[in-house]
Amino acid sequence: MSSDSSRQIKQMVNFIMQEAHEKVNEIRIKTDHDFNLEKQNLVHAGKLKVQEEYAQKEKDLDVEQRVSRSAAVGAARIKKMKARDELLETLKKDTLEELGAFCKSPEYAQFVRKVIVQGLIKIEENEVEIHCRAEDRALVAKVLPDSIGDFKLLMAEAGRAAAPRG
């Protein structure tokens, strides 16, 4: 019996050992599975975090580019407005110089004469008062009789015989 009982004990020990090994394997497999699951969750969470950070950086970059673009457009507008102001000032200066030179030229008297005739035609009144610059009074007085004559001639040609009194 001793060998029988020894064999039975051995079998029982072997059975218990085998059960223990199976239990260890089950625990190891479950632990590996849990580890892999946790690892996947951590990797997924890490990926999501990286994607969120990237999306935030992309938004920040987009905002920065918009601000930069807006600043560049604003600067270009200011530059354009300054250039336009400079051109207008240059044009104004040149025009005043040319006008000053024209006022001193011999053609100016003819111009004043024609302007007076045009004004008389447009106004069509018997009595007209002419306003001019103080420095042009003598010139206006000089060309006024010729202007009235031109006006009368034009009106006679057109069939209107109204003569203004200056």
Side-chain angles (χ1 to χ4, degrees):
M1 260 214 185
S2 160
S3 85
D4 228 10
S5 38
S6 187
R7 203 174 47 119
Q8 269 187 335
I9 290 176
K10 214 174 193 181
Q11 274 183 334
M12 286 175 78
V13 167
N14 284 340
F15 177 76
I16 291 172
M17 287 299 278
Q18 187 173 347
E19 286 291 319
H21 283 300
E22 286 178 9
K23 194 66 168 169
V24 166
N25 280 338
E26 284 178 25
I27 291 173
R28 186 177 297 128
I29 290 171
K30 179 155 179 25
T31 304
D32 286 346
H33 177 72
D34 289 348
F35 171 77
N36 286 331
L37 240 157
E38 185 65 25
K39 184 172 80 173
Q40 284 179 345
N41 286 339
L42 289 174
V43 167
H44 182 69
K47 283 181 182 179
L48 287 177
K49 185 177 178 184
V50 167
Q51 287 174 346
E52 288 172 2
E53 288 175 1
Y54 178 76
Q56 184 62 41
K57 286 181 181 180
E58 192 174 10
K59 286 179 186 177
D60 292 345
L61 180 63
D62 186 44
V63 168
E64 186 179 313
Q65 287 175 340
R66 285 183 187 178
V67 168
S68 176
R69 213 175 306 127
S70 178
V73 167
R77 283 184 184 147
I78 289 172
K79 183 179 176 183
K80 184 178 176 182
M81 286 173 26
K82 284 181 180 179
R84 182 176 177 220
D85 277 351
E86 288 173 10
L87 286 173
L88 285 173
E89 285 300 316
T90 303
L91 180 65
K92 182 180 172 183
K93 182 181 150 222
D94 292 348
T95 303
L96 287 174
E97 287 174 5
E98 286 183 31
L99 190 57
F102 178 70
C103 289
K104 293 177 178 136
S105 72
E107 295 91 32
Y108 185 62
Q110 187 64 26
F111 172 76
V112 170
R113 180 178 172 179
K114 288 180 180 179
V115 167
I116 291 172
V117 171
Q118 284 181 3
L120 294 173
I121 292 170
K122 289 286 183 185
I123 294 174
E124 293 187 29
E125 294 289 331
N126 288 334
E127 239 178 82
V128 176
E129 184 177 328
I130 297 175
H131 292 271
C132 64
R133 300 183 313 165
E135 57 264 24
D136 291 338
R137 280 198 181 125
L139 177 63
V140 169
K142 179 181 170 191
V143 298
L144 186 58
D146 293 334
S147 297
I148 292 172
D150 291 347
F151 174 72
K152 285 180 181 179
L153 182 64
L154 285 170
M155 290 297 112
E157 288 175 3
R160 303 183 209 155
R165 288 174 264 162

